[in-house]
Amino acid sequence: MIVVMKQGATQQEVDRVVHLIREMHLQDHVIVGIERTVVAVIGDDRYKDQSTIESCPGVDRVVPILAPYKVASKQSHPEPSVIPIPGPLKPSVGGRKLCLMVGPCSVEDRSLLLEVAHAVREAGGTCLRGGAFKPRTSPYQYQGLGEKGLELLAEAREITGLSVVTEVMSIDQVDLVARYADVLQVGTRNMHNFNLLLACGRAQKPVLLKRGWSATLDEFLLAAEYIIQAGNPRVILCERGIRTHETYVRNTLALAIVPAVKRESHLPIIVDPSHGTGRAYMVPSMCRAAIAAGADGLMIECHADPEHALTDGAQSITPQVFAQTVKELRAIAEAVGREI
Ligand code: PEP
Ligand code: MN
């Protein structure tokens, strides 16, 4: 259940509700909104007596929550969350401004990374993506530069001002990656790695959570719930395509999740059409479709020499195509009340 306090309820009244929840051996999660405070009750509250809480001073109403997630649900937090990202360009995800996170699949070498970073900045991107630790299907494929890659990303931030988004694959990498990155990326293969989610929940950086390629909406939002519950409310969702019977594309980009997330959750959602299609020529159209559908931003793979990219060249667009795509996106953004 969710306890919605009256507008202007006092701290004492909120404390009283929290006390009663704990007496019921349930957990509380207090969310202070712009208009009013809401207390989410965590745990199995099906057999608890709501009326004690309902009759407390300062309580407006108690709403049962049917969805399995609570702190990620819109009921507990009716206003959309805007997640600020550290960095001199002050990017954020979820507000009027769209957030473009662009860069190579993997960090390969300094000059390629800087070339793309400059182009991203010039065309209107505010975040640089790039994997230093790469989750590869085969152990014989390129595994990334590790900490050296993180250093290069940090240097690119220093030079261009772009904030850095990079993947963390295991619990023991969280502190290291958080020292260099502005956003911790949890990849599709790790969406169900609950211990990693909890570790990201204890980190002091926003988390970009990619949808597991076979995850349902509920599973996706429950994964976000782990991070928020562990203490980090700064979660950005990312649709990156799911596995279906279709083999023409690498993944099927399930854009319908955008309006679904907007209805069920307060969390922002961006779309990754690169992994969502696997084909560079489809990326600009799917970028346009994602923004038209209400996405809060995009994650795009971009490489100056895609034919020689060490990873995911086939789905990487060039800086020129990216710049052209941004021009087209500006018109669509405006049509849906957003801006780049
Ligand atoms: C990535 O963005 O670098 C990546 C590996 O994506 P995903 O986890 O969606 O496959
Ligand atoms: Mn990739």
Side-chain angles (χ1 to χ4, degrees):
M1 62 182 129
I2 296 240
V3 184
V4 183
M5 303 300 295
K6 287 183 179 146
Q7 254 174 351
T10 65
Q11 185 60 46
Q12 253 182 337
E13 289 166 341
V14 176
D15 290 346
R16 170 90 189 125
V17 168
V18 166
H19 180 77
L20 285 172
I21 293 170
R22 292 185 187 173
E23 263 188 2
M24 292 176 180
H25 303 288
L26 296 166
Q27 267 179 284
D28 57 279
H29 191 104
V30 179
I31 301 154
V32 182
I34 298 169
E35 303 219 328
R36 50 173 95 207
T37 296
V38 158
V39 188
V41 181
I42 319 279
D44 189 354
D45 57 21
R46 283 173 297 175
Y47 309 108
K48 307 287 181 184
D49 181 10
Q50 290 184 16
S51 60
T52 2
I53 296 179
E54 231 151 14
S55 55
C56 277
V59 170
D60 183 19
R61 59 188 192 278
V62 175
V63 188
I65 298 259
L66 302 174
Y69 40 85
K70 298 191 180 194
V71 285
S73 84
K74 205 171 179 77
Q75 275 171 294
S76 69
H77 192 297
E79 305 105 28
S81 284
V82 180
I83 315 289
I85 295 176
L89 302 178
K90 299 193 187 323
S92 63
V93 190
R96 185 179 153 80
K97 238 181 144 65
L98 300 172
C99 187
L100 303 182
M101 303 176 168
V102 189
C105 176
S106 323
V107 179
E108 299 177 9
D109 73 50
R110 184 174 179 278
S111 65
L112 271 171
L113 185 67
L114 288 179
E115 186 180 350
V116 168
H118 282 298
V120 168
R121 174 71 207 268
E122 195 146 308
T126 49
C127 297
L128 177 66
R129 63 142 288 139
F133 294 101
K134 292 303 301 175
R136 305 311 305 283
T137 300
S138 159
Y140 307 117
Q141 293 170 323
Y142 177 66
Q143 303 284 313
L145 292 178
E147 189 167 1
K148 177 70 192 153
L150 297 175
E151 285 169 9
L152 292 176
L153 285 166
E155 189 187 352
R157 171 181 48 214
E158 202 61 41
I159 295 171
T160 63
L162 295 169
S163 300
V164 164
V165 185
T166 195
E167 179 159 354
V168 54
M169 293 205 308
S170 61
I171 300 172
D172 59 352
Q173 286 170 359
V174 172
D175 287 344
L176 174 71
V177 175
R179 270 207 299 283
Y180 291 94
D182 299 300
V183 178
L184 304 175
Q185 178 173 326
V186 175
T188 192
R189 296 161 182 81
N190 267 319
M191 193 212 81
H192 293 286
N193 182 343
F194 304 117
N195 290 324
L196 178 62
L197 300 177
L198 291 173
C200 288
R202 292 187 292 269
Q204 303 300 313
K205 293 283 167 75
V207 179
L208 179 79
L209 177 66
K210 296 191 103 178
R211 181 187 188 178
W213 63 42
S214 66
T216 62
L217 173 64
D218 277 3
E219 289 164 346
F220 193 18
L221 290 175
L222 281 167
E225 186 99 355
Y226 267 98
I227 301 170
I228 302 172
Q229 264 264 62
N232 189 350
R234 290 180 288 168
V235 179
I236 303 158
L237 304 171
C238 179
E239 166 62 42
R240 49 78 68 208
I242 51 173
R243 283 236 168 130
T244 67
H245 60 275
E246 181 57 85
T247 52
Y248 182 68
V249 278
R250 180 177 180 184
N251 291 287
T252 297
L253 189 60
L255 282 183
I257 202 166
V258 174
V261 163
K262 295 285 167 199
R263 175 190 284 239
E264 303 301 335
S265 176
H266 55 91
L267 297 174
I269 178 162
I270 70 165
V271 170
D272 169 357
S274 306
H275 294 89
T277 61
R279 292 176 176 239
Y281 84 88
M282 292 180 174
V283 169
S285 345
M286 291 299 101
C287 286
R288 297 195 295 269
I291 298 308
D296 298 297
L298 297 163
M299 168 167 268
I300 305 169
E301 288 187 340
C302 180
H303 197 288
D305 183 11
E307 283 167 20
H308 296 104
L310 296 181
T311 58
D312 285 353
Q315 65 189 37
S316 300
I317 58 173
T318 61
Q320 292 74 22
V321 172
F322 173 61
Q324 177 58 31
T325 304
V326 174
K327 280 191 200 146
E328 295 159 6
L329 289 175
R330 285 192 203 280
I332 293 174
E334 201 188 319
V336 294
R338 312 296 284 267
E339 64 180 286
I340 294 180

